[in-house]
Amino acid sequence: SAAKTYVAGDVISIKLTFDEVVKVSGTPNLAVSIGGATVQATYASGSDSKYLTFQYTVIAGMTRASQ
């Protein structure tokens, strides 16, 4: 896929796929590495399904082209 440049304010959605249905309790986070820094993507949706979506909003100074 082509590289994409993210700018401050862009929301990056990360979709995880599981073999079985998962139920979410609480407010989980997902550690994501961006430009050498670890940030926390927050849970957005997907409880009681095989797919969970997490989101991270890019902040100023954390921009980088994806690969």
Side-chain angles (χ1 to χ4, degrees), residues 36-57:
T38 300
V39 298
Q40 297 297 314
T42 56
Y43 169 75
S45 65
S47 186
D48 295 318
S49 76
K50 292 183 178 183
Y51 311 99
L52 296 183
T53 301
F54 290 79
Q55 294 182 329
Y56 173 73
T57 301

Side-chain angles (χ1 to χ4, degrees), residues 17-22 50:
T17 303
F18 296 87
D19 291 332
E20 298 181 17
V21 170
V22 293
K50 292 183 178 183

Side-chain angles (χ1 to χ4, degrees), residues 1 5 7 36 62:
S1 66
T5 299
V7 297
M62 293 293 290

Side-chain angles (χ1 to χ4, degrees), residues 7-25:
V7 297
D10 283 352
V11 176
I12 299 171
S13 291
I14 302 159
K15 186 175 183 179
L16 304 178
T17 303
F18 296 87
D19 291 332
E20 298 181 17
V21 170
V22 293
K23 182 170 185 74
V24 175
S25 62

